[in-house]
Amino acid sequence: MEKIVSTKIINQHQALPKDVQIEFLKLQELSDKVKFGDPENIEGQAARQYFPRMYGKEFKRSNEELLINAHLNYGYSILLSAVNREIVAAGYLTQLGVHHQSGSNAFNLASDLMEPFRPYIDRVVLNQQNLSLSLDLKLNLINVLNEIISYNGKKVELAQAIQQHVLACLKYLSSESESLPEMEFIL
């Protein structure tokens, strides 16, 4: 599953504003260091580098009083739901995760598999971060699923990329496939 974390970090780099992206290559370096089980917490290190560059030095993901976090939470719940739908449609349990293994999280597997898609939400939130989470802004976040992206060299809607990604991961986890296919996303 290190491919998932590595892809998430690469996507975080791509989601950064262009001027920051060019100046800041540390995320790309970190993505190459992810190992099985992420024992060095590269994902956490990347987050500590990424979020302040994305939303400003004062941003803290744990600060529930920030409007940005309300937007992120809403957007991430949309991704979580889309991934859960695909897991259930394929006949698998959402509770059993690989990295996420909390007994209180009924969606551990979806929490694992949604990681590469988070930067799509982050990018939308960047443009609406200081506004109240109105119906229009919620619809902006929902509409991310309809965005056309490049996934493994093909133009598809994000919802289709999620479906293909989840099915490939489930085949790998159930030993129907020896390896995960390449996960190339272009924001």
Side-chain angles (χ1 to χ4, degrees):
M1 297 307 268
E2 60 270 13
K3 272 188 182 179
I4 289 175
V5 173
S6 180
T7 301
K8 174 189 178 182
I9 295 169
I10 290 167
N11 287 351
Q12 286 175 326
H13 182 260
Q14 289 181 22
L16 289 169
K18 292 292 179 206
D19 57 327
V20 176
Q21 206 180 93
I22 292 166
E23 161 209 327
F24 185 69
L25 299 174
K26 178 83 171 163
L27 289 176
Q28 288 181 323
E29 294 169 14
L30 285 173
S31 72
D32 293 333
K33 294 180 180 180
V34 178
K35 295 183 179 111
F36 181 79
D38 196 15
E40 297 172 19
N41 192 25
I42 300 296
E43 184 177 14
Q45 292 178 45
R48 283 188 295 281
Q49 303 272 335
Y50 168 71
F51 282 111
R53 284 173 175 80
M54 189 70 162
Y55 301 117
K57 291 180 180 165
E58 286 76 40
F59 176 77
K60 298 275 186 258
R61 185 68 182 104
S62 60
N63 185 346
E64 292 298 321
E65 294 178 17
L66 293 175
L67 280 173
I68 299 170
N69 282 317
H71 290 256
L72 290 172
N73 292 342
Y74 190 84
Y76 294 160
S77 70
I78 292 164
L79 288 179
L80 185 68
S81 295
V83 172
N84 272 324
R85 182 176 52 244
E86 298 303 333
I87 293 168
V88 171
Y92 289 82
L93 297 174
T94 60
Q95 297 89 339
L96 304 175
V98 177
H99 179 69
H100 293 87
Q101 298 181 358
S102 170
S104 62
N105 181 0
F107 311 113
N108 286 309
L109 185 55
S111 297
D112 287 333
L113 301 184
M114 72 180 269
E115 293 298 337
F117 300 100
R118 286 178 181 260
Y120 290 94
I121 295 296
D122 299 345
R123 193 186 63 224
V124 172
V125 169
L126 180 63
N127 296 320
Q128 62 187 41
Q129 63 183 311
N130 295 317
L131 303 171
S132 179
L133 191 55
S134 66
L135 177 59
D136 286 341
L137 298 181
K138 288 178 180 179
L139 291 173
N140 285 345
L141 290 165
I142 292 167
N143 203 34
V144 167
L145 295 174
N146 300 319
E147 189 174 319
I148 302 296
I149 67 162
S150 179
Y151 175 71
N152 290 339
K154 296 179 183 170
K155 298 282 185 196
V156 297
E157 287 185 353
L158 185 66
Q160 292 172 304
I162 288 172
Q163 180 184 45
Q164 292 170 20
H165 169 73
V166 168
L167 291 175
C169 289
L170 292 174
K171 282 182 180 181
Y172 173 73
L173 290 170
S174 63
S175 300
E176 292 176 38
S177 174
E178 290 187 27
S179 65
L180 279 173
E182 287 304 311
M183 291 183 269
E184 180 189 11
F185 300 80
I186 299 176
L187 293 173

